[in-house]
Every structure is written in structure tokens, then in C-alpha cells.
Amino acid sequence: MKFTKMQGIGNDYVYVNCFEETVKDPAAVARYVSDRHFGIGSDGLILIKPSDIADCEMDMYNLDGSQGAMCGNGIRCVAKYVYDYGIVKKENISVSTKSGIKYLDLTVRDGKVALVRVNMGSPVLTASQIPVVSSTEEMINAPLKVNGETYYITAVSMGNPHAIVYMTDVDHLDIGEIGPYFENHMAFPDRVNTEFVEVLDDHTLKMRVWERGSGETLACGTGACAVAVASILNGHVDGEKPVTVKLLGGDLEIFWDRQENLVYMTGPAATVFDGEIDLSFLE
């Protein structure tokens, strides 16, 4: 199988061009290639497929083999791949995902995509649609007992369910200890991505993320969008200006257009290397 390793601010995936390749068991392939010791090493697998309703389709799998609905960093790399490799030679493209069609604007430098602005769609705040089990229609700064301690969370879906928690120091958080308790909490029937957020000023946030099915990752695009929305709703940042979200792998710029109720994410995408791997033993 031919593949390309790509990353968006450290959120790395193995990408396969399914215009040319066929992946028979993507869940098993995702588990194998994601292993950083015995495989290629990644946060998961993304298949780039033909689409009847968009320029291409993104089909993503987490490192544990579970299928994901949407990945903000991953979709920027999909846009870079289809442009740089000549599949879709346009600077405004559409990508079909499990959470709907996303529209992307590409910044091209020296014939290659450098930055991608993604229309991530409208945030979902209704608890039952996220989904999160709640006695209220929305969960904004709502108490939740996790592993014996009460946290105040804001629940947002950007195609994936997110729980946002604010704290004064995210650098020294033992995220490997607390993350799984959030991910598998009974309040989240589809599990949840959890963002632990420190407010730096009225337009800058720092976050770490524990992603369902992947553990801590260097970045999460849908998570950064959810964090910006939650921070505006909680009055932590100025909602009239773009918000800079600082992740372990780099920065993303997020703008929630309240009139359109659309969230826009801008960030880089990079190709790491191309390769070929023998998967015959999986058949």
C-alpha cells in the first residue's frame, strides 16, 4: 500500500489515495500503521476517496481502529494532498465527511498548499445531539463528577463530541490519568474528546486534548473550534475577533461568525514523507 505521512501542527495521520489504492480492512490497517514502534506511527488513518457530492471524501480512523466523523487538522492535510498531488487543482474545494460537506480555502505558495481555512460548520450545543446525558438542554459551565471530583464542563459538538474544562495550569496536568475517565464517562454515550483549557488573555487560549480512541494528541482541530465557541459562551474571550488557540503542536486561528453561526479554522498542513508498506499479512 502506498501512503503519505502528513501532519497539521503535530496531529499526524497516514493518508492513502483511494483514487488509486483499495484498503480492505481500514480498522485493522489503522491499528497497524498507527503503532509508533511496529508501524509507521500516527494518530490514525485517513482515506482520501472519490465522492459523488464533493471534490473528494475523507474517511478517517483513530489509532484504535474506531471510525471518526471529522478531524480539523486532518481535513487541512486532505486539502493539501488533493491539490499538491493534482487530484483537485482548485483553491476552493469541498470535502465530504461523516459530519457533512466541509468547504476549504487554500493558500498556495510556490505551487504548494501552505495554509488552509476550513468552514467547520455550525457548533452543536443541544445536549442530546452532541450527545451528552444532561437534565438541561445545554451544558454550559455545568458540574460533572469525574473520578470523585467535580469539574465544570461546557459540551460542544463540531462533528465530534467535546467536553471543555477550564483550569489555571494545563502544563502540569496529568492528562494520562484523568483523560480516560472523561472519555469513558457514562454521561457521554459515544465517548468524548476532552479539552483542558487555560485562558491566557481575551483572545488567546492554551489547551491540551485527550481524544477518544487516540489519547493525548499534539493538536485537535475540532477541539480548538469547540474551545473557542465554549470560551465565547463563557465570556473568557472577545467573540468579535479571531481567537488564537495554542496547542502542543502549534497555533490555530478560530473565528466564530455569530451572524452566520459558522466556525472558521485556519492553520498549516505539511507533508512529512511518502512511502509504501506491505500489508499482505493482514489479509
Side-chain angles (χ1 to χ4, degrees):
M1 181 185 79
K2 294 180 180 179
F3 69 89
T4 300
K5 174 80 175 284
M6 304 182 78
Q7 58 90 10
I9 61 170
N11 199 188
D12 60 339
Y13 286 86
V14 171
Y15 292 78
V16 179
N17 178 1
C18 290
F19 285 78
E20 299 177 354
E21 298 277 340
T22 299
V23 179
K24 294 181 180 179
D25 187 349
V29 172
R31 289 191 293 270
Y32 177 67
V33 301
S34 297
D35 191 291
R36 297 188 185 275
H37 300 286
F38 297 99
I40 298 165
S42 68
D43 291 324
L45 172 72
I46 291 181
L47 309 180
I48 303 173
K49 299 179 174 181
S51 172
D52 294 330
I53 57 175
D55 291 315
C56 64
E57 177 186 344
M58 178 179 85
D59 187 14
M60 68 162 292
Y61 295 82
N62 298 310
L63 62 79
D64 67 352
S66 61
Q67 190 171 29
M70 174 58 187
C71 174
N73 294 311
I75 201 171
R76 293 201 313 277
C77 291
V78 168
K80 178 175 175 61
Y81 186 101
V82 297
Y83 185 92
D84 289 1
Y85 288 84
I87 297 172
V88 182
K89 214 61 178 176
K90 302 188 297 184
E91 294 185 14
N92 306 98
I93 73 169
S94 58
V95 179
S96 173
T97 75
K98 296 297 182 193
S99 63
I101 298 175
K102 306 301 179 185
Y103 298 91
L104 303 88
D105 302 318
L106 317 183
T107 299
V108 178
R109 297 172 184 158
D110 300 323
K112 302 287 186 180
V113 171
L115 284 173
V116 181
R117 183 177 189 252
V118 187
N119 178 344
M120 298 288 285
S122 301
V124 175
L125 302 174
T126 303
S128 61
Q129 295 176 11
I130 292 173
V132 55
V133 177
S134 173
S135 59
T136 57
E137 185 176 352
E138 297 179 350
M139 287 191 74
I140 300 174
N141 198 36
L144 182 72
K145 184 166 285 189
V146 181
N147 194 32
E149 185 174 344
T150 299
Y151 295 84
Y152 287 84
I153 74 158
T154 297
V156 181
S157 174
M158 290 298 310
N160 295 324
H162 295 274
I164 294 91
V165 182
Y166 294 94
M167 49 187 54
T168 56
D169 178 14
V170 297
D171 291 335
H172 296 95
L173 171 70
D174 188 352
I175 196 170
E177 170 67 24
I178 190 60
Y181 287 105
F182 274 93
E183 177 182 356
N184 300 294
H185 196 283
M186 66 179 64
F188 307 106
D190 292 341
R191 296 187 294 169
V192 74
N193 299 342
T194 310
E195 286 75 32
F196 300 92
V197 182
E198 182 179 340
V199 180
L200 300 183
D201 56 43
D202 66 359
H203 58 269
T204 312
L205 305 162
K206 181 194 290 187
M207 73 172 243
R208 291 174 66 187
V209 57
W210 182 269
E211 293 196 56
R212 59 178 182 173
S214 293
E216 183 174 23
T217 60
L218 295 180
C220 177
T222 59
C225 293
V227 162
V229 169
S231 299
I232 291 169
L233 292 174
N234 284 289
H236 293 310
V237 295
D238 181 358
E240 300 301 316
K241 300 176 181 178
V243 176
T244 298
V245 182
K246 305 180 81 64
L247 305 99
L248 293 180
D251 297 351
L252 292 173
E253 183 182 276
I254 312 296
F255 179 63
W256 183 16
D257 186 321
R258 302 293 290 276
Q259 288 189 327
E260 294 184 337
N261 192 30
L262 294 173
V263 179
Y264 295 90
M265 174 191 64
T266 303
T271 299
V272 182
F273 62 87
D274 296 307
E276 189 168 352
I277 189 169
D278 182 4
L279 298 175
S280 60
F281 70 95
L282 291 177
E283 297 177 358

